[in-house]
Each structure stands twice: as C-alpha cells, then as structure tokens.
Amino acid sequence: MFTPDPIPRPNGPPASSTPLGDYLSEQHHGVDHAYAVLPRSLAESMPLPWQRHMRELLAEFHQAFGHLKWPVYRVVPTRYERLVDLDEEQLAEIGYTMEVDDTGELDYRSRDGVPIENPEQQRVLVPCLDPIPRRHGDSGGST
C-alpha cells in the first residue's frame, strides 16, 4: 500500500563518496597529508574482534595493492618545534644551519642554502623519543 506522504529525508549532510579521505583530512594522531601511521603496539593491543577486523581489512588492502613496487618505510617519531628553539645539532639533523652574519644577527638557512625568512615563526619537524610504548621484547629493528 502506498502513502501520499513524501518519503522522509535523512537528517544531516549527504553521505560522502570519499569517507576515508574525509576522515584522514581531519586532524588525527599519526596522519599527515601523505600517510596514516598505526603504532603496531597499539594495534596489537586492540580487543581481539578489532584485531580480526583490522587483519581482514589489511589483507584486502595488501591483496589489492600488492602488485605495486613498495619501498621500505622508516617511520621516525617527530614533533613540531620553532626553528629558533633548536641547537646546532638539532638544526643539522633536519638540514638547517645557523650562523652569525656580519651584523651580528642569526642567519638560518635550509639545506640548499636558501635563507629562512622570519625564522622565529618557522615551525619544523624534529625527531623525538617515541612516546608510544613498544611491545615487550620488541627491539624496533627490522625482521
């Protein structure tokens, strides 16, 4: 039996055709414009049903994209710091230099020698200790 009443529309915005991209575009831990990183120790400490579901999703992902020539990724924990708050060793590690110029001012330059404008406002990623606990007995090396 048909009703003359209109079909009710769902409340809220229409469903996205890019739900994962939408989610990853928001600010989340372990996500930047190019990568989403999951700490293995946290993934392996999820409840067993979640681990099974994640395993199936990853298996499908690897089956779909296993034909690509994958590099080996090295993930380095980092945090944002102001360029002017770094010492010379930290600057060298991320490819910057700092020298005193002829006027006595500090001169910051990138790896290719380009001067950094407004270094006090420049934020850069600096390696740091990983705050995420590793699995017991995991040395962090490759297998």
Side-chain angles (χ1 to χ4, degrees), residues 48-99:
L48 193 54
W50 293 15
Q51 288 186 47
R52 288 183 181 129
H53 189 61
M54 178 72 79
R55 187 233 173 262
E56 292 304 316
L57 289 172
L58 288 173
E60 288 182 37
F61 179 83
H62 288 121
Q63 181 180 8
F65 299 107
H67 66 283
L68 298 175
K69 196 167 191 168
W70 285 66
V72 175
Y73 291 96
R74 178 181 53 192
V75 177
V76 178
T78 56
R79 66 174 179 259
Y80 280 103
E81 295 284 348
R82 287 181 347 134
L83 190 64
V84 297
D85 292 338
L86 304 179
D87 62 29
E88 287 187 38
E89 186 176 309
Q90 290 171 309
L91 288 166
E93 187 173 7
I94 61 170
Y96 288 84
T97 60
M98 172 188 62
E99 296 177 351

Side-chain angles (χ1 to χ4, degrees), residues 27-40:
Q27 190 171 11
H28 293 287
H29 297 297
V31 177
D32 69 10
H33 69 282
Y35 295 96
V37 176
L38 297 174
R40 183 173 176 164

